[in-house]
Amino acid sequence: MTLVSACISSMKQMFLILFVLMLCAHGSVATEPPVNVLFILTDNQAASLIGSYNNPDIRTPNIDQLAHDGIRFERAYAVNGMCSPTRATLMTGLMPSQHGIHSWLDDAMLNDWPRNWSAVAEFRTLPLTLRNRGYQTAMIGKWHLGQPWKASLGYEYWVTFTDGHTVDFWNNNIIDNDLTYPVKDRHIVDFFTEKAVDYINSYEGKRPFYLQLNYDGPYTNPPTNLGPARNRFYPDYVGTDFESFPRVAVHPNVVEQLLDPATSPFFVEKLSQLIAMHNDPATMANVASQNTLVDEGVGRVLAALEKNGLTENTVVIFSADQGNFYGQHGLWQHTIVTKPASMFETAMNVPLIVRHPEQIKAGQVSSELIGQYDIPVTILDYLSVTDVEFDNSPGRSFTPLLRGEVVNWNDAVFFEQEETRCVRTDRYAYCQRLRTTGKPELYDTLKDPGQNHNVHADQVYAEVVERLEQRLKEFFAAYSDEEYDLWQGGVAKGSVDRPEMFRRLYGDDWRALAIVKPAFEE
């Protein structure tokens, strides 16, 4: 090679390098395309209601396939037994005693709350964090975190209904971004499925998306789940034996409350509906059919990803806000139907499935303990959002588990329900009660997986009780806010189930609050 040709070759290489650097500076070259996120959250769906979680009666082929194609977590736990607190935790990574929502936000109080009240707007939230980092953000489905009238917490696209909780699957008033209109011709789950499919079909690919699809089913509460159902899958389940639905006596605490003249009319109605649902074949078929309806919707949304070539570049997360009882321990509905709350496995163990083809190995099953507060932390970590964190969150990223790695992971998860605080370890489930509100409970889940025998008073377990009491004390000392710590005289946001309990403890002036606080900003 001559000196001239060598110089020309060197100049070509230099120009090539400069050209690539210029493209990179202008964002025209990317090493990896940003990952889309589809987070599907169901309503009151215990893990045990899903086929891939070993339910023999209920058909959920699409969710089962999702689990087959990704990783299924067997022991993921809700942070609370009610929907508003759990949804707040999934937004913020915080405990109820930190974000202040301790129970469902009662729709009867909507008119008493400020018109622009968003219950956790003062905290860093997952959608806001992603929007500020280039994601287009959408929420379709149930909201139940304050006033529903406009997009909140960083969402840009917004479809929900005007009520917080389900009153009717078939007659709903919808808030669709800037429009409000009735939907009375189809099941609300079908409607939300259609809106999610439309959103995916219209995706232009200019920015990665974060789509939160909050299904308002299967629900498992009256009046929608009491007796025969109005949906296309109900006839398929009529006459089924339903081996997975326990036939036992009604929980004695339910009877005690009904006989107590001090029980509020609200709870009298709930307890009466519980008894009507219990051991009722039509109600069992109703619940099963609502689960299958949700599953069909999941299948249609996943098919829309596939049709639009988005499957490979979208991480799909499937979970539930919390479970409900469907006969276990003689209970139906929520954890709060007993006094004090019943934080048994059925209600607290939620499904958690994550799929990302080529990135998450298919067919994995993990028995690691996952707390709901771990999920938003993990999403940011998985998306390589490393410049921020959820302040004082107890959450830890389980991204290494998604990669199939063996890690030194959590040895316990924690949850709470107003007067009840619990720790769940590999072997034990232990719950404490706020003073004068009930007795503690300890279950040895190795010997008693159904949690039928409270061994708290058994001296054999005295050391276990002492150790778990200390763990609860240390955890909530670290992860509670004085303003919202109900065990230290704090307040709750919006509403609580039994306000009279806290007035008795803290005085007649105690009440739940709904105050508009300055919104979090980056």
Side-chain angles (χ1 to χ4, degrees), residues 261-313:
T263 300
S264 70
F266 170 80
F267 276 101
V268 168
E269 179 183 12
K270 289 296 178 188
L271 298 170
S272 299
Q273 291 171 330
L274 183 158
I275 292 174
M277 298 176 82
H278 195 50
N279 297 331
D280 174 42
T283 294
M284 296 176 192
N286 182 328
V287 169
S289 68
Q290 307 294 356
N291 278 269
T292 299
L293 186 70
V294 168
D295 179 81
E296 183 191 58
V298 170
R300 291 171 60 190
V301 174
L302 297 180
L305 290 179
E306 184 68 26
K307 171 188 171 185
N308 289 278
L310 296 169
T311 298
E312 302 299 318
N313 199 41

Side-chain angles (χ1 to χ4, degrees), residues 42-46 49 82-83 87 104 107 142 144 161 164-169 187-189 215-226 270 277 286-287 290-291 294 321-325 332-334:
T42 60
D43 198 15
N44 303 337
Q45 187 176 40
L49 285 169
M82 303 294 282
C83 55
R87 291 161 191 269
W104 70 302
D107 289 349
K142 177 175 177 175
H144 218 175
F161 49 38
H165 77 293
T166 301
V167 178
D168 191 330
F169 282 137
H187 197 291
I188 191 64
V189 165
Y215 274 124
D216 196 42
Y219 198 55
T220 330
N221 279 329
T224 52
N225 297 98
L226 172 58
K270 289 296 178 188
M277 298 176 82
N286 182 328
V287 169
Q290 307 294 356
N291 278 269
V294 168
D321 51 3
Q322 75 283 322
N324 262 11
F325 299 111
W332 280 73
Q333 307 176 54
H334 285 302

Side-chain angles (χ1 to χ4, degrees), residues 148-372:
W149 309 107
K150 63 180 182 178
S152 182
L153 306 185
Y155 287 112
E156 299 166 315
Y157 183 90
W158 183 260
V159 179
T160 188
F161 49 38
T162 55
D163 292 309
H165 77 293
T166 301
V167 178
D168 191 330
F169 282 137
W170 286 87
N171 295 286
N172 290 278
N173 291 314
I174 297 298
I175 302 166
D176 186 343
N177 297 292
D178 295 327
L179 302 175
T180 301
Y181 54 83
V183 172
K184 300 183 182 298
D185 59 342
R186 56 201 182 278
H187 197 291
I188 191 64
V189 165
D190 288 332
F191 173 79
F192 289 144
T193 293
E194 292 163 8
K195 296 300 292 187
V197 169
D198 289 345
Y199 183 86
I200 293 169
N201 285 341
S202 63
Y203 174 61
E204 297 178 347
K206 295 179 180 179
R207 294 187 290 159
F209 67 76
Y210 173 80
L211 170 57
Q212 178 88 44
L213 174 55
N214 292 342
Y215 274 124
D216 196 42
Y219 198 55
T220 330
N221 279 329
T224 52
N225 297 98
L226 172 58
R230 181 187 171 191
N231 74 57
R232 57 189 170 277
F233 292 106
Y234 178 75
D236 298 343
Y237 287 103
V238 173
T240 301
D241 187 46
F242 291 114
E243 296 178 4
S244 61
F245 287 66
R247 270 76 158 186
V248 296
V250 171
H251 195 291
N253 185 264
V254 172
V255 179
E256 291 172 10
Q257 290 185 78
L258 282 173
L259 295 176
D260 185 350
T263 300
S264 70
F266 170 80
F267 276 101
V268 168
E269 179 183 12
K270 289 296 178 188
L271 298 170
S272 299
Q273 291 171 330
L274 183 158
I275 292 174
M277 298 176 82
H278 195 50
N279 297 331
D280 174 42
T283 294
M284 296 176 192
N286 182 328
V287 169
S289 68
Q290 307 294 356
N291 278 269
T292 299
L293 186 70
V294 168
D295 179 81
E296 183 191 58
V298 170
R300 291 171 60 190
V301 174
L302 297 180
L305 290 179
E306 184 68 26
K307 171 188 171 185
N308 289 278
L310 296 169
T311 298
E312 302 299 318
N313 199 41
T314 302
V315 58
V316 178
I317 303 160
F318 176 88
S319 193
D321 51 3
Q322 75 283 322
N324 262 11
F325 299 111
Y326 52 99
Q328 294 81 5
H329 306 280
L331 298 171
W332 280 73
Q333 307 176 54
H334 285 302
T335 53
I336 54 99
V337 292
T338 57
K339 183 182 179 182
S342 292
M343 311 295 279
F344 293 118
E345 194 84 355
T346 302
M348 305 312 298
N349 182 209
V350 294
L352 178 59
I353 298 168
V354 186
R355 185 197 76 177
H356 191 189
E358 306 302 324
Q359 304 301 317
I360 296 175
K361 182 181 177 181
Q364 296 183 78
V365 178
S366 174
S367 61
E368 299 289 347
L369 291 162
I370 304 292
Q372 216 164 33

